[in-house]
Amino acid sequence: MLDNQKDNDISSIISDDFSYEDINFFDLEKPILEKFLYSMLLIRSCEYKIAEAKKEGLIKGPVHLGVGQEAIAVGIAQNLIKTDRVFGAHRSHSHLLSINQNIHALFAEVLGKVTGFSKGMGGSMHLSNPEKGFYGSVPIVTGTVPLALGAGLAAKLQNSGDIAVAYLGDGATEEGVFHECLNFAKISNTPILFVIENNLFSSHMHISLRQPEETTIRFAKANNIKCELVNGNDVNSIYRVSSSCIEEMRKRPEPFLIEAITYRWFGHVDWREDIDVGVSRSKDDIANWKKKDPIKLLKEAMIHNSYWSISEQESLEDKIQKEITSAWSKAMNDPYPSKDDLLQNVYE
Ligand SMILES: Cc1ncc(C[n+]2csc(CCOP(=O)(O)OP(=O)(O)O)c2C)c(N)n1
Ligand SMILES: [Mg+2]
């Protein structure tokens, strides 16, 4: 756990000049690093494809893109098993793709096709794939956190060793139910991992205009929940921190909170970088954060540390582009649900 002085100092976690030289490999070997890079690149390429299609008017519903934030879900997912119970929110493409790389099902979902993750009924903000451990995402901010808590408590009562994961944003910590969940998680020793993706914004509003500190980890401390503040743009660090806490949680059920500092490149919703809802943000900020791109950092660090060559990377990028093109054209050709399907998933 970090000491109090550093707790609200974002620059001590990810400084302005953070570079590939600061990436720690711990004892990670080439296959796992390749896996990280593949997953992050796949998620990003997928979201760029969705951005392009949204711009062209091919996607009807809103899309909340997490470009720039890929390292968090990828680092955490490496420690999860199929029977864990993961919950997302409105910006959850990465949360689902990090545990199931079926990009065709995501494309089909945002296009409203029957082959989508939620049979084309949900769109980008209602993703569901319980067979792989992804129990759902919804646009109601913080709405899934109490559901994750219930799923974690069930795992404890079933003595299964499984854990629940609740992904939420910095803005979601401003909802009262989050605090009730922290309290109950602690008092009931529920194995739930709260993952706060602190991208510094809630819609258009910077955290400094909304909270007394730029980090939110103090909420875990107030509830005696073990916690760690990490650089959300460093997949190796996220993997390492989550691996040790998840191992502990499986042995002895208890909650844990990870706050990952990151930044999203696009505006709150849809594909534009330079605008947000209402208030614009500085283009310099975006440029500075792009220098700390989690994918670029890992690529550069791997090359400089001779984990692999530029040509190996290029062939990985080619492979991903081919996967994107083929999954997209398959999804475009898939059918829409029929009218008879409309009430199939409605609870009465
Ligand atoms: C209960 C509720 N209040 C407000 C909204 C509108 N809203 C949608 S996303 C969002 C911002 C959430 O910010 P954060 O949790 O930091 O997630 P981020 O968008 O940064 O990923 C808001 C206020 C909502 N969907 N639900
Ligand atoms: Mg946010």
Side-chain angles (χ1 to χ4, degrees):
M1 222 184 280
L2 291 163
D3 62 64
N4 275 333
Q5 271 146 350
K6 283 188 185 160
D7 269 4
N8 58 14
D9 180 9
I10 284 180
S11 62
S12 72
I13 296 296
I14 177 163
S15 64
D16 275 349
D17 54 0
F18 191 84
S19 81
Y20 71 86
E21 289 168 351
D22 302 306
I23 297 286
N24 188 335
F25 283 95
F26 306 104
D27 50 2
L28 298 174
E29 296 193 349
K30 184 172 170 177
I32 193 168
L33 296 167
E34 276 178 341
K35 210 168 160 188
F36 288 161
L37 199 48
Y38 172 80
S39 284
M40 292 195 293
L41 270 169
L42 187 75
I43 294 167
R44 178 165 300 178
S45 311
C46 196
E47 289 210 302
Y48 266 109
K49 183 70 210 174
I50 291 173
E52 183 190 308
K54 180 71 194 165
K55 197 171 174 182
E56 287 169 10
L58 298 172
I59 296 173
K60 305 301 172 205
V63 291
H64 296 75
L65 303 167
V67 172
Q69 305 187 178
E70 300 86 351
I72 301 167
V74 167
I76 285 168
Q78 186 62 31
N79 303 295
L80 299 179
I81 52 176
K82 221 168 76 180
T83 44
D84 287 331
R85 298 127 200 237
V86 181
F87 293 76
H90 56 288
R91 197 181 303 286
S92 279
H93 299 160
S94 66
H95 306 150
L96 175 49
L97 289 181
S98 64
I99 55 178
N100 180 358
Q101 298 180 327
N102 185 347
I103 55 173
H104 163 253
L106 179 63
F107 287 153
E109 189 55 48
V110 297
L111 287 166
K113 303 296 182 83
V114 73
T115 46
F117 274 123
S118 307
K119 304 190 174 81
M121 302 286 184
S124 163
M125 290 193 285
H126 300 90
L127 304 170
S128 159
N129 188 206
E131 302 77 19
K132 297 277 178 171
F134 191 81
Y135 281 74
S137 64
V138 297
I140 308 298
V141 168
T142 331
T144 44
V145 179
L147 304 182
L149 181 62
L153 185 60
K156 180 185 165 183
L157 296 175
Q158 289 156 349
N159 223 354
S160 66
D162 298 330
I163 65 157
V165 179
Y167 284 104
L168 64 150
D170 48 296
T173 67
E174 290 152 23
E175 289 284 346
V177 68
F178 169 63
H179 301 273
E180 294 177 45
C181 288
L182 289 177
N183 180 66
F184 187 77
K186 179 63 190 180
I187 210 70
S188 59
N189 276 330
T190 291
I192 176 170
L193 177 62
F194 299 95
V195 181
I196 300 178
E197 295 179 314
N198 183 353
N199 58 16
L200 308 174
F201 281 87
S202 174
S203 302
H204 61 284
M205 229 188 214
H206 192 266
I207 194 165
S208 58
L209 300 169
R210 308 176 347 247
Q211 296 201 23
E213 290 179 3
E214 292 199 341
T215 61
T216 61
I217 197 161
R218 65 190 182 280
F219 299 131
K221 294 188 167 182
N223 287 280
N224 288 346
I225 291 177
K226 290 182 188 164
C227 53
E228 196 87 44
L229 189 59
V230 293
N231 177 345
N233 285 16
D234 176 359
V235 67
N236 297 354
S237 293
I238 294 156
Y239 166 72
R240 187 163 169 268
V241 164
S242 55
S243 118
S244 59
C245 76
I246 290 174
E247 208 181 302
E248 260 186 66
M249 290 164 75
R250 291 196 200 283
K251 277 195 230 138
R252 200 169 58 89
E254 63 174 329
F256 206 103
L257 184 146
I258 292 176
E259 175 171 12
I261 306 299
T262 186
Y263 198 82
R264 69 170 146 71
W265 294 8
F266 288 106
H268 172 62
V269 63
D270 297 340
W271 74 93
R272 293 184 191 88
E273 270 191 356
D274 53 342
I275 64 150
D276 229 302
V277 186
V279 177
S280 55
R281 57 183 173 169
S282 151
K283 285 194 172 177
D284 286 352
D285 263 9
I286 304 177
N288 285 339
W289 277 94
K290 281 189 173 178
K291 290 187 200 146
K292 297 178 273 190
D293 169 6
I295 298 180
K296 181 172 96 73
L297 289 175
L298 183 60
K299 271 190 203 171
E300 288 174 359
M302 283 171 71
I303 300 252
H304 279 86
N305 288 278
S306 310
Y307 278 90
W308 66 350
S309 62
I310 290 182
S311 70
E312 275 179 290
Q313 280 189 4
E314 284 171 354
S315 66
L316 179 77
E317 284 162 3
D318 274 1
K319 175 173 143 47
I320 288 175
Q321 271 325 310
K322 286 190 185 112
E323 288 177 35
I324 298 283
T325 308
S326 120
W328 181 259
S329 73
K330 189 163 172 250
M332 285 291 280
N333 289 317
D334 283 345
Y336 289 104
S338 77
K339 275 194 185 150
D340 297 341
D341 292 339
L342 267 177
L343 297 177
Q344 285 295 325
N345 300 295
V346 178
Y347 292 101
E348 295 184 34

